[in-house]
Amino acid sequence: MKHWITAAALLAATTVALAQTPIERGRYLMRGIVACGNCHTPMGPQGPLPGRELAGGTVFDEKPFTAVAPNITPDAETGIGRWTDAQIVAAIREGKRPDGTVIGPPMPIGLYRGLSDTDVAAIVAYLRSVPAVKNATAKSVYRMPLPPAYGPPVGKVADVPRSDNLAWGRYLAGPAGHCMECHSSPGPQGPDLVNGLGAGGMTFNGPWGVSAATNITPKGIGRYSDEALKKVITTGVRPDGTRLKPPMGTAFYANMNASDLDALVLYLRSLPPK
Ligand code: HEC
Ligand code: HEC
């Protein structure tokens, strides 16, 4: 009897340690691989501006658009404080605002369609928890037609089993982290996720000048050991001492745990060399 109680107590303790609450999961994702703040938090020369998390205002000036990242803090007037959870989920996974308008690029809606119900709920829980910041942002201008929708309603998305490391790595690089949105080669409709998956070539203008996303298929990263590659991703410093420029989200990826990094690297190594 005594032994049985001990075993049960141990099992309960282990389950509690492994299960994250939505807000814990949301914090891990948002301060790590998901990194909405890489676009939605205004950046100064030293990185994210203090006290302005997710307050918006960053401008993406490209040929087909001048897009402005909106304020997604819980402020009722200038943020998304009045949106319901379902409305926020629809904005993230379907690119649809409560007023029916469509959210344009560079928000990677196509990939976010694959975010699991668990993870998108965790992201919403985190969004509700950040301090409300009053900050009205300008409207985006698109010099290209936006699609009427990004596809049929998303419905339910199951969790990818973490026991399958390769599938988990693919989920992290795709729907969760949108590494592939930046690192695939440019096609006529944005990144070519089929023929140019991970091949690099997209360019980004900003206060840093112009940066170009590199090839992260085995052809591009073959020169790195797993350890070196993880160090590049999480510190932004290459073995030769050169530093990765924005918008590579190094400061966020620094917070990823070891098993997620392993799965990510396993997946990148599995890509067809381009
Ligand atoms: C690559 C940059 C980028 C990333 C990453 C990104 N967004 Fe956005 N997001 C934008 C831009 C730009 C807009 C505005 C587009 C427009 O005006 O149509 C936007 C619009 C939105 C809106 C609509 C807000 C409004 O008031 O209209 C919400 C909500 C939103 N994003 C949430 C998120 C969340 C949550 C994440 C992370 C899961 C995320 N975004 C990741 C760039 C990004
Ligand atoms: C918003 C766009 C963006 C996102 C998202 C992004 N990257 Fe990058 N990444 C870049 C750019 C741009 C560079 C090149 C920076 C430079 O050369 O200064 C880069 C560089 C790299 C490098 C260095 C490669 C080399 O040859 O030295 C690696 C590795 C890398 N990214 C992996 C990733 C992974 C893995 C993810 C997802 C977790 C990711 N990136 C997400 C834009 C992005």
Side-chain angles (χ1 to χ4, degrees), residues 14-34 118-119 121-127 129 162 255 257 260:
T14 317
T15 314
V16 168
L18 288 177
Q20 284 174 312
T21 62
I23 183 73
E24 285 164 351
R25 173 91 186 129
R27 188 177 299 120
Y28 172 71
L29 290 173
M30 294 287 280
R31 296 187 179 172
I33 182 112
V34 169
T118 314
D119 284 348
I123 290 169
V124 171
Y126 182 81
L127 289 172
S129 79
R162 288 193 205 193
N255 298 320
N257 66 35
D260 280 359

Side-chain angles (χ1 to χ4, degrees), residues 33 38-39 172-173 177-183 202 204 208 211-216 220-221 223-224 229 232-233 238-239 243-249 253 256 264 268:
I33 182 112
N38 203 27
C39 289
L172 293 176
H178 72 280
C179 316
M180 293 304 158
E181 183 85 8
C182 287
H183 280 278
M202 202 93 83
F204 304 89
W208 55 85
S211 61
T214 50
N215 184 331
I216 55 169
I221 57 170
R223 65 188 195 282
Y224 293 128
L229 182 56
V232 173
I233 295 169
R238 295 192 179 94
R243 274 178 184 281
L244 303 187
K245 288 184 198 156
M248 173 64 187
Y253 310 144
M256 288 177 67
L264 186 61
L268 295 181

Side-chain angles (χ1 to χ4, degrees), residues 16-17 22 45 52 67 87 92 96 122 131-132 145 157 162 188 190 205 207 209 213 217 228 244 253 260:
V16 168
R52 311 281 292 169
Q87 286 172 334
I92 299 170
K96 209 170 71 187
V157 182
R162 288 193 205 193
N205 305 304
T217 74
L244 303 187
Y253 310 144
D260 280 359

Side-chain angles (χ1 to χ4, degrees), residues 73-96:
T73 73
D75 185 61
E77 271 79 44
T78 62
I80 57 171
R82 290 210 177 99
W83 299 21
T84 66
D85 288 3
Q87 286 172 334
I88 299 175
V89 169
I92 299 170
R93 290 205 300 204
E94 299 176 5
K96 209 170 71 187

Side-chain angles (χ1 to χ4, degrees), residues 39-222:
C39 289
H40 283 277
T41 297
M43 299 280 172
Q46 311 297 327
L49 292 176
R52 311 281 292 169
E53 187 179 5
L54 301 175
T58 298
V59 178
F60 303 86
D61 212 354
E62 304 290 338
K63 215 169 175 187
F65 53 78
T66 303
V68 186
N71 179 347
I72 56 169
T73 73
D75 185 61
E77 271 79 44
T78 62
I80 57 171
R82 290 210 177 99
W83 299 21
T84 66
D85 288 3
Q87 286 172 334
I88 299 175
V89 169
I92 299 170
R93 290 205 300 204
E94 299 176 5
K96 209 170 71 187
R97 291 191 187 84
D99 67 4
T101 55
V102 167
I103 297 170
M107 173 126 165
I109 308 287
L111 287 173
Y112 286 165
R113 288 177 68 80
L115 272 172
S116 77
D117 295 349
T118 314
D119 284 348
V120 82
I123 290 169
V124 171
Y126 182 81
L127 289 172
R128 299 267 187 228
S129 79
V130 301
V133 179
K134 199 160 280 310
N135 185 35
T137 57
K139 255 186 159 10
S140 304
V141 176
Y142 289 93
R143 295 173 282 276
M144 56 180 265
L146 292 183
Y150 290 91
V154 169
K156 287 196 181 312
V157 182
D159 288 320
V160 171
R162 288 193 205 193
S163 50
D164 182 343
N165 261 328
L166 188 59
W168 184 245
R170 182 184 303 119
Y171 176 76
L172 293 176
H178 72 280
C179 316
M180 293 304 158
E181 183 85 8
C182 287
H183 280 278
S184 297
S185 50
Q189 306 283 323
D192 183 347
L193 300 175
V194 181
N195 299 311
L197 191 67
M202 202 93 83
T203 54
F204 304 89
N205 305 304
W208 55 85
V210 179
S211 61
T214 50
N215 184 331
I216 55 169
T217 74
K219 199 168 167 184
I221 57 170

